[in-house]
Amino acid sequence: SLRDVTAVFAPSCLSHTLITKSNWMDFQIKGTSVSRALQCWDKSLQEANKNSKTPLKGCPFHLIDNCQWPQCNPTCPALVDKATNQKISLLQLLVGLGLDLQKISQDLKGEASHLTGMVSNGG
């Protein structure tokens, strides 16, 4: 669980190398960018060294996407098919992996809008 860690920035993106991307400052969770989160964490460490107990205003320390599907954060980098170097959606990736989208849709029951949202958000 990520609840017991001091600070976390966990977007629901399939890319685990966000910080190595040229546009790393574009990624956000709940309106907070990774660069802002890093600034907050750095400032909190400096304040801790001063033995300050004052909480930092506007500095969330637990930023975790709470959406149901991977790649549902609209600031996630696009998925790319390594064979063609073309951008693909999460649905295309799942089909390529052999997953049965009809079964997934049935499992969602009343939540079919999630699949539609994945398509419209590029996921």
Side-chain angles (χ1 to χ4, degrees), residues 4-66:
D4 296 332
V5 297
T6 305
V8 63
F9 188 89
S12 183
C13 301
L14 292 178
S15 175
H16 295 288
T17 57
L18 295 178
I19 202 143
T20 66
K21 308 282 185 199
S22 61
N23 60 340
W24 69 275
M25 293 193 313
D26 296 341
F27 306 116
Q28 296 184 12
I29 298 175
K30 300 174 185 162
T32 300
S33 68
V34 68
S35 61
R36 175 72 178 140
L38 290 171
Q39 289 171 347
C40 286
W41 300 340
D42 180 54
K43 189 172 182 176
S44 74
L45 290 173
Q46 292 172 18
E47 293 297 316
N49 288 336
K50 295 178 189 174
N51 291 323
S52 173
K53 299 289 183 196
T54 308
L56 300 173
K57 292 184 180 178
C59 280
F61 287 89
H62 289 90
L63 293 159
I64 303 171
D65 269 337
N66 58 356

Side-chain angles (χ1 to χ4, degrees), residues 80-93:
V80 177
D81 182 327
K82 296 203 187 277
T84 64
N85 214 26
Q86 298 285 321
K87 289 182 181 181
I88 60 171
S89 71
L90 179 59
L91 290 177
Q92 289 170 311
L93 175 69

Side-chain angles (χ1 to χ4, degrees), residues 108-121:
L108 286 174
K109 296 180 182 156
E111 300 178 30
S113 62
H114 288 302
L115 285 176
T116 305
M118 287 168 50
V119 172
S120 63
N121 289 335

